[in-house]
Amino acid sequence: MGLFTRRSQDTNTAAVATLDVDPALAALTGDYVIDASHSSIGFTVRHAMVTNVRGSFGEHEGLLRLDGTDPSRSTASIDVTIASVGTGIADRDGHLLSGDFFDAERFPLMTFRSTSAAQLGGDAYRVTGELTIKDVTRPLAIDLEFAGSATDVYGNERVGFEGSAEILRSDWGLTWNAALEAGGVMVSDKVKLTFDISAIKQA
């Protein structure tokens, strides 16, 4: 269900294209708070050149401001608590929190602030903004798919988005690595970020 549908109509002898706003999507316009208990912000990184390690951040909060009549005016703001990182291995999680990686004591939050949004076609969107990790802020584009909207059993109006982005962790100063005897390195520079977001509309 795209935010806009295109209609052609005849005016005298000329065909004029107009944009119709989908009333159902226009009704979604408003402020939404991310429901962390039903959302996930995760990552995947290549380990030892042969397999993927997956992890997630259990604590995060955010605000979406959606404009169903003009997606370009939508915004997103997300704060992620670094200390909530989990990969299933306590020693590895501790290493990620250390100065080798996130240095969580000095830099407890990872943040994203959108600067623009665009519809790519249908339910596909791209949100561009600034990602801050440690003391480094760099641009990031997140490709998202609108998963739909619904009213839950408690009467909350919800929207869902799924998306991903790829970064080079070295761009944010996360440069620790170790060389492997057979060649290559322990941890890939490329990291895939994943977003599964459920957000509740505010009254």
Side-chain angles (χ1 to χ4, degrees):
M1 180 170 59
L3 290 177
F4 297 99
T5 55
R6 186 173 294 275
R7 179 186 63 192
S8 294
Q9 61 183 22
D10 290 331
T11 301
N12 296 326
T13 59
V16 179
T18 62
L19 288 175
D20 291 336
V21 175
D22 185 329
L25 289 174
L28 299 179
T29 298
D31 289 347
Y32 293 76
V33 170
I34 292 176
D35 178 8
S37 63
H38 294 94
S39 301
S40 174
I41 297 177
F43 59 89
T44 303
V45 62
R46 199 77 170 163
H47 177 261
M49 310 295 291
V50 297
T51 190
N52 289 320
V53 169
R54 292 174 174 84
S56 63
F57 296 92
E59 296 180 19
H60 53 269
E61 59 184 22
L63 176 67
L64 309 179
R65 290 186 173 175
L66 304 184
D67 191 323
T69 63
D70 183 355
S72 68
R73 296 189 296 188
S74 299
T75 63
S77 173
I78 301 174
D79 294 334
V80 177
T81 301
I82 294 297
S84 69
V85 69
T87 64
I89 303 294
D91 287 347
R92 182 166 58 207
D93 295 344
H95 193 196
L96 289 174
L97 296 177
S98 75
D100 284 344
F101 286 96
F102 288 112
D103 199 357
E105 287 191 7
R106 294 180 59 205
F107 307 102
L109 291 178
M110 174 172 61
T111 65
F112 177 79
R113 301 290 184 266
S114 69
T115 55
S116 65
Q119 184 180 20
L120 303 181
D123 292 329
Y125 300 87
R126 177 169 294 151
V127 177
T128 302
E130 295 183 336
L131 176 68
T132 300
I133 303 175
K134 300 173 77 171
D135 56 351
V136 179
T137 299
R138 294 181 60 88
L140 176 70
I142 304 173
D143 287 339
L144 296 167
E145 181 178 355
F146 176 53
S149 62
T151 301
D152 66 22
V153 295
Y154 302 105
N156 298 312
E157 295 182 55
R158 290 180 178 269
V159 293
F161 293 91
E162 300 176 5
S164 64
E166 287 190 351
I167 67 171
L168 297 178
R169 60 188 179 89
S170 59
D171 288 344
W172 280 266
L174 304 177
T175 57
W176 183 91
N177 226 321
L180 301 174
E181 289 185 7
V185 292
M186 180 71 72
V187 185
S188 170
D189 192 22
K190 183 169 69 175
V191 180
K192 181 179 181 181
L193 304 177
T194 56
F195 305 85
D196 288 287
I197 301 297
S198 178
I200 298 173
K201 192 173 187 178
Q202 302 302 287

